[in-house]
Every structure is written in C-alpha cells, then in structure tokens.
Amino acid sequence: MNNALKLLIFTAILFYLPCVNAEGIEALSITTTPDGTQEYSVTLQVLAIMTALSFIPAAVIMMTSFTRIIVVLGILRQAIGLQQAPSNQILVGISLFMTFFIMAPIFNQINDQALQPYLKDEVTSIQALEIAKEPMKAFMLSQTRIKDLETFAKIAGYDKLDKPEDTPFIVIIPAFVTSELQTAFIIGFMFFIPFLIVDLVVASVLMAMGMMMLSPMIVSLPFKIMLFVLVDGWGLVMGTLARSFGLGV
C-alpha cells in the first residue's frame, strides 16, 4: 500500500514538472543589507511548488481510472434507488482500491523504470520524471477518444500533430478526463436500464390494482435489491469496469 501511494505521488508530480528546472531550486535566499544585517526570503519557485502540492490529489484522480469508477458507482446507486447505501466513503474507498488494481501494471512499470533507478542514483530526478511520464501518457492515450484529443489540441493551438503520441501532456489530461466521463455515462446507462424496467413494471402493476397513492419507488426497491444480488451484481459491475480498461481481455 505504501509503494502504491508513493507511486501515485510520484506520478502526480509529473503534472508540475514545468515548475522545476534542471539546475534545481534555490529554496532560501540570503541578502546582506548595507548595515550588515541579513534578510531571508523564500523563492517564488518554492512557494509555487508548495501551492501545487495541494492539487496533487486532484491530479492523481484525473490521471487514473478513478473518475470512471466513481461516476459509474454513483449512477448505479441512483439506479437502485438507494440514497445513502453504500455511503460516499465506501464508494470512494472501493474506487481507490479498484484504481490501485487497474493501474497496478502502470505503477509497476513506473517503479521499475523510473522510481527505483532514481532511488539508486542511476538517473536524475528530471530524467526519472520524464521516464515515468511515458507509461502514464500511453495509458491515458489508450483510453482517450481521438475526437476529444483533437478538440483540445485545436483549442490549445496544436493543429499539426502527426500522431496522438505527439500531443503535449497538458492537452492529453483534459481530453482523457472528458473521454472518461463519456465512457462512465455510457456504462452507467447500461446498468440503469434493468432497474428502470423493474420500476416500470411495478408502477404498471400498482396502477392496474388502483394503488396509485403507494409510491412505486418504495415497492420496487426490494425487488431491485433482490435482482442485483441474484445476478451477482457487484461482481458484474467490478468485472465490467476492469474489462473496460482492457484487463482480462
């Protein structure tokens, strides 16, 4: 678990790579005044990087499979008709561990090619970040629609890219997030249909029986839960999400 967290943080730093130069960062500057005293000041680069650290969780979420998983699980809970079960904390926990599972090959590749050589002083920090960026870039490109990639490349002014691999990292990220949301809504729609059919059947039966004052949602909820359990719903959902990223195919 600790290695996974280290890799997540290491990967997130890629987003802030332009803030770091190859010569390092001067953290503290000392100025001697005419009267012989000294003044201390923190450089703007350090302040910028410290501020950027607060955005690391958002960067990690947006650059991995987390977005698709949490959106699908949220739609699934709404389709069943449950408002608080599973709770938001449980959904986030499931999404995080599913993200570790799905991203494990990418994290292992980053660990073998970038993190371990850096810890052994075989490469510099800048070289390690450049090496680590390639597996993440390949993963995001594999999940990004060409249409979304072209849209953001055109907005950013990159109209003459020969191939998707030439797209800058800063353009791939928003295109990847957009594609993830699109895919998540498609999967969520597929999960929503069976529960919608149950709601329609229950509503029709209640109307035929003249029980219009009874809420169809209350009556259909136990049937939807029973249906979900009988078909091994959680296994199907998790398996579908994993396969949607190419695992087990």
Side-chain angles (χ1 to χ4, degrees):
M1 184 65 177
N2 290 333
N3 290 334
L5 291 175
K6 290 179 182 178
L7 288 171
L8 281 173
I9 295 174
F10 186 75
T11 302
I13 294 175
L14 299 177
F15 187 76
Y16 306 107
L17 184 59
C19 299
V20 183
N21 55 48
E23 299 177 355
I25 299 175
E26 184 181 353
L28 185 67
S29 61
I30 303 175
T31 305
T32 303
T33 60
D35 59 1
T37 60
Q38 293 181 329
E39 294 182 354
Y40 302 89
S41 62
V42 179
T43 61
L44 291 177
Q45 281 182 318
V46 173
L47 291 176
I49 292 179
M50 291 176 63
T51 303
L53 289 176
S54 62
F55 294 97
I56 284 182
V60 170
I61 290 173
M62 294 296 101
M63 294 165 59
T64 62
S65 58
F66 183 88
T67 301
R68 182 187 304 185
I69 298 171
I70 192 65
V71 171
V72 170
L73 293 181
I75 294 176
L76 176 65
R77 184 175 65 179
Q78 186 70 25
I80 296 176
L82 298 170
Q83 300 300 323
Q84 299 296 330
S87 64
N88 292 332
Q89 292 84 351
I90 293 177
L91 292 185
V92 171
I94 293 174
S95 301
L96 281 174
F97 281 99
M98 280 293 294
T99 298
F100 293 149
F101 172 72
I102 293 172
M103 299 295 295
I106 309 300
F107 291 156
N108 289 336
Q109 190 175 352
I110 293 174
N111 181 61
D112 295 338
Q113 299 179 3
L115 183 57
Q116 292 303 321
Y118 170 69
L119 295 177
K120 296 176 182 177
D121 294 328
E122 297 176 358
V123 296
T124 64
S125 59
I126 303 300
Q127 291 173 334
L129 290 173
E130 287 291 345
I131 295 172
K133 186 167 65 174
E134 294 305 317
M136 289 300 301
K137 186 175 181 179
F139 167 77
M140 288 191 287
L141 284 174
S142 67
Q143 304 297 325
T144 304
R145 292 177 172 79
I146 298 297
K147 180 180 179 181
D148 295 329
L149 200 61
E150 292 176 347
T151 298
F152 283 96
K154 186 178 296 183
I155 294 174
Y158 297 97
D159 297 328
K160 298 181 179 179
L161 296 174
D162 296 331
K163 52 185 179 179
E165 289 75 11
D166 297 335
T167 308
F169 206 68
I170 196 67
V171 175
I172 296 176
I173 294 176
F176 169 75
V177 174
T178 303
S179 294
E180 285 295 280
L181 291 174
Q182 178 81 356
T183 303
F185 273 73
I186 293 174
I187 297 175
F189 171 79
M190 299 296 292
F191 288 149
F192 210 109
I193 293 300
F195 300 108
L196 179 61
I197 294 175
V198 174
D199 285 333
L200 292 175
V201 171
V202 171
S204 299
V205 171
L206 291 177
M207 185 174 295
M209 296 174 63
M211 303 174 65
M212 299 180 183
M213 299 301 295
L214 185 61
S215 174
M217 294 294 296
I218 297 177
V219 178
S220 64
L221 180 57
F223 290 100
K224 289 189 289 187
I225 294 177
M226 181 181 64
L227 173 65
F228 191 70
V229 172
L230 289 177
V231 300
D232 190 19
W234 287 114
L236 291 175
V237 170
M238 300 305 175
T240 300
L241 287 172
R243 286 191 292 270
S244 69
F245 288 97
L247 296 183
V249 177

